[in-house]
Every structure is written in C-alpha cells, then in structure tokens.
Amino acid sequence: MKTLNIVLNYQEDDDLLPITARFLCTISGIQGLCLETFAFHTNKASLQLLQNLASLLQEQKAIRVLDMPMEIGHERALHNSVQDLIYHALPKELKEFTTDLIFFSFDDYLTRAGTIVRQAQQLHSLKLYLDGSSGWWPEGFYDLTPFLELSELENLELVTFSGIHLDPDDIVALGKSFPKMVRFAIKPLPCPVAFDVGIKATALIDFATTFPKLEVLGIRIEPIHGPLVLPWRRSTDHHSHSQAQAYPSFNSSRFRLLDVGPSFLSDQDVPDMAELLSVLCHHPLLEIKYERQEEPEYLEPEETPEEDSTKTWRKVEALVKLVHGTERDTTKPYHEWCQALILNNMDVEIDEDEERIIAEGELA
C-alpha cells in the first residue's frame, strides 16, 4: 500500500478519538508499509492522536505527498503539540505539503513556519491556510521570509485574512528565491475587510519579468486611483513607428491564469487594465478569475455594497481576447494599437451561456 487517505468528521462524540489514536498506532505497526501519499483530515484531535500521528510520519520516511488539514479549533496547547510533534516529524524528502498553520502571535508564526521549512527543504509544493487567532495576520513581504529558503518550490499557495502587500522590489526578491516557480498564489479570504492588501496593478509587470516559468498567478490587485502609469507610454517618444519596441510579458506559451480574487475594479479603469494585460499576456486561452466578496450578514440584499467587480473583470478578459484575435496594425507601436482597439470596443459584451466574445460588427 502506497496511498492512504483518512477523513475524520467528528460531531459531538469525542469517544472516537482514542479509537482513532489506536488505529494510527496499528497502522504504524504494519510491517513492510511504505506510504508515498498520505492524507489525514480531521476536525478534532487529542494529544495521544497527535503523538501517534507523529510516530507514523517519523516511520514513513518515503512519504512525498502529505495532505493534512488540521481544523481542530484554536486551543493553544493542542496547536503547540502540533508544532512540537507533527512539524518536527515531517519527512525530510517531502515534496508536497498542505495544512492549516494556526498561530497566536508574530513570533509564533515565524517559529511554526520556520520548523516546516527546516524539516522539509525539498518541497516542490506548499499550500498553507494561515489562521491567526490572536488578531495578527501576515500582511507584508517580511512575513514571507521563512519560505525564501525553499529554492525548489514550484507551487506556493497561501490563504490569509486580507492578502499580503508586495512592492516591486519584493517581487524581484521572490523571483530570485523561487527560480522554478510555476504557480504563485496569495489568496485573501472572500470576505469584506477594511482595507485591500495586495499589489499595485503595474506590479504585474514585475511578476512577468521576474518569473519566467509562471503559469498561474493568484494575487489581489489593489484599487486603482487615477490613470495607470504604464512604462511603454512614457517611452513612445524614444521609438519611431518603424522601430521595434521591447515590451515586458509573461511567458506566452505558459502563463494562462490570472486569479485576482476579490480585487475591486471600477468601470473607468477597464481600458487601462485591458491594455496592461494585452501587453503582458499572450496565451490564447488566458483566463481571468474573479471571486466575489461575501456579503455581510447584517445587510439587507438591497443594502449590499457595490463592490462586485464580476462584470468589469469579464469585460477586461473579453477585451484582451479581442486584441489577441485581431490582426495587428504594424504601422503603430503595439501599445498604441492596443489602446485604440480597446477604446473603440468598450461596448464589448460576453454571451452568458457560451462565454463568447461579441464585439460590434461580429456575428452573434
């Protein structure tokens, strides 16, 4: 047996915890057992259960994929045991790890994240649900520093309360630490928060130039205030129409999904965002994913805030596909041609059933 999946969903009966603990002990005693993939999902735990789980992990050194959500509440003593037992028992050759990281302070977060990194330095994929029960949450580049040692990472997915702010220099530093990154995602919870934390829209340029192997980017884009300052517009004067201008872009054969989460985008910002992504993204099957924020329970339906950007992001995606599906006018710089085409097709619509682009003059 190389794969073992255990899913436990306790209701009110804690009497099953000792049985589960004994079951884990029994598994550990099976001669010749060599697990490569192990999933352990539970919504409750006991010290004995965690001890037996840690023993199993220590014995099964061949485990390469470990899926271990620990939705076991916020009892500090229990999570201290997770830190002291489970994280220290992670197999050294682990390649993929998914879990909930519960912490009670900034120092606590650094300690727990640091233990995971030291124990499993060969990770290719790390998915963490960051849950701060003390009110502190990661929100800046410094909070990502524990993970910078994982140079083999190809997939990093972090779910946190409001996202993490990254400046262009931060993105460059991440790119140097993660040269093999294929999928990078920092996802805020889809719930209303007092502030939007993520990246400036133009910082997408830094991701494009820093991560050459990137296929998927999940990041909150902070609200745009005023026209975007796009570098190719400033450089137009230095290029004649006949000169080729170098434009930054994601890998055209790889980058295919931009997940903006609950990022707000106003109608007036659609043309600039569409131009930005038309220059950066050239995959013919590019998808832009948007996740609407959950509405506060205390509001009546007619009182819900107008923060739903589903239509604006869908329009951006439609305009980008329109640009890529139209024969280019090579007598103009690419961005000027994009900009003109976008402004002339702001009435673009999307068929809700078939999600086809319908522009003026195109057959419906």
Side-chain angles (χ1 to χ4, degrees):
M1 182 171 62
K2 294 185 177 182
T3 299
L4 176 61
N5 297 326
I6 300 175
V7 179
L8 305 171
N9 185 14
Y10 296 101
Q11 300 301 321
E12 299 298 328
D13 188 4
D14 290 346
D15 293 340
L16 293 177
L17 286 173
I19 298 175
T20 305
R22 290 195 297 272
F23 175 69
L24 290 173
C25 184
T26 301
I27 292 175
S28 298
I30 298 177
Q31 291 186 353
L33 181 65
C34 186
L35 294 177
E36 295 180 0
T37 299
F38 180 40
F40 185 81
H41 297 212
T42 182
N43 61 343
K44 285 189 179 182
S46 65
L47 178 58
Q48 187 63 58
L49 185 148
L50 293 175
Q51 289 174 337
N52 292 355
L53 178 59
S55 296
L56 177 62
L57 293 176
Q58 288 174 333
E59 294 173 5
Q60 295 299 313
K61 300 183 184 301
I63 292 177
R64 298 294 181 265
V65 179
L66 181 58
D67 184 8
M68 196 172 60
M70 301 293 285
E71 301 175 8
I72 54 177
H74 293 85
E75 183 183 338
R76 184 159 191 162
L78 204 55
H79 286 285
N80 287 340
S81 297
V82 172
Q83 155 69 15
D84 296 337
L85 297 171
I86 304 300
Y87 296 159
H88 281 91
L90 293 178
K92 295 291 185 181
E93 299 299 320
L94 191 64
K95 302 300 182 185
E96 300 179 20
F97 185 38
T98 301
T99 194
D100 297 82
L101 183 64
I102 312 294
F103 47 88
F104 300 86
S105 67
F106 171 67
D107 291 338
D108 196 35
Y109 163 79
L110 290 181
T111 298
R112 297 172 195 266
T115 301
I116 292 173
V117 170
R118 286 191 300 274
Q119 287 296 120
Q121 295 188 358
Q122 300 302 313
L123 281 172
H124 289 185
S125 176
L126 179 61
K127 302 178 184 180
L128 296 178
Y129 184 98
L130 305 178
D131 190 350
S133 64
S134 65
W136 180 87
W137 293 77
E139 60 181 12
F141 172 74
Y142 182 77
D143 304 323
L144 298 180
T145 53
F147 309 114
L148 299 186
E149 299 177 26
L150 299 174
S151 60
E152 297 296 315
L153 270 186
E154 299 175 5
N155 178 23
L156 177 62
E157 297 182 39
L158 305 176
V159 177
T160 184
F161 178 63
S162 61
I164 292 178
H165 176 75
L166 297 174
D167 289 322
D169 289 344
D170 301 332
I171 297 169
V172 172
L174 289 171
K176 291 179 179 178
S177 297
F178 305 133
K180 300 180 180 181
M181 190 63 67
V182 173
R183 183 185 185 98
F184 182 88
I186 299 177
K187 299 181 179 181
L189 297 175
C191 60
V193 294
F195 46 87
D196 296 306
V197 179
I199 63 170
K200 301 294 185 185
T202 50
L204 288 170
I205 298 171
D206 300 285
F207 270 106
T209 56
T210 305
F211 289 88
K213 297 183 178 181
L214 202 62
E215 296 179 3
V216 176
L217 174 61
I219 196 82
R220 178 187 287 228
I221 298 175
E222 297 172 356
I224 301 171
H225 301 289
L228 283 180
V229 180
L230 301 176
W232 42 83
R233 291 179 183 173
R234 298 198 305 267
S235 61
T236 299
D237 295 338
H238 302 290
H239 297 267
S240 68
H241 291 339
S242 60
Q243 287 178 312
Q245 183 172 352
Y247 293 93
S249 67
F250 289 99
N251 188 312
S252 60
S253 64
R254 286 178 172 266
F255 188 76
R256 54 185 170 76
L257 174 61
L258 175 63
D259 184 348
V260 298
S263 303
F264 174 74
L265 184 70
S266 67
D267 289 327
Q268 66 184 17
D269 296 320
V270 167
D272 281 353
M273 182 61 71
E275 179 186 338
L276 173 63
L277 295 181
S278 293
V279 170
L280 293 180
C281 309
H282 298 278
H283 196 290
L285 300 178
L286 175 71
E287 178 185 355
I288 299 174
K289 182 179 178 181
Y290 168 82
E291 185 174 6
R292 182 177 180 178
Q293 289 184 344
E294 296 177 357
E295 299 173 351
E297 295 181 356
Y298 58 83
L299 293 180
E300 297 296 330
E302 63 272 11
E303 297 177 331
T304 54
E306 298 180 0
E307 295 293 318
D308 184 6
S309 296
T310 302
K311 291 184 178 179
T312 51
W313 282 111
R314 283 177 66 97
K315 179 172 281 191
V316 167
E317 183 183 60
L319 288 168
V320 172
K321 290 182 177 179
L322 177 65
V323 169
H324 293 163
T326 303
E327 184 177 357
R328 178 189 169 186
D329 180 356
T330 57
T331 64
K332 299 179 181 179
Y334 180 70
H335 73 276
E336 289 186 4
W337 171 77
C338 284
Q339 187 180 40
L341 183 62
I342 289 167
L343 292 176
N344 288 335
N345 287 275
M346 286 302 295
D347 59 346
V348 66
E349 296 179 358
I350 297 180
D351 184 278
E352 297 294 337
D353 295 326
E354 300 181 11
E355 295 190 357
R356 291 184 294 107
I357 299 174
I358 302 176
E360 185 177 359
E362 183 178 341
L363 292 177

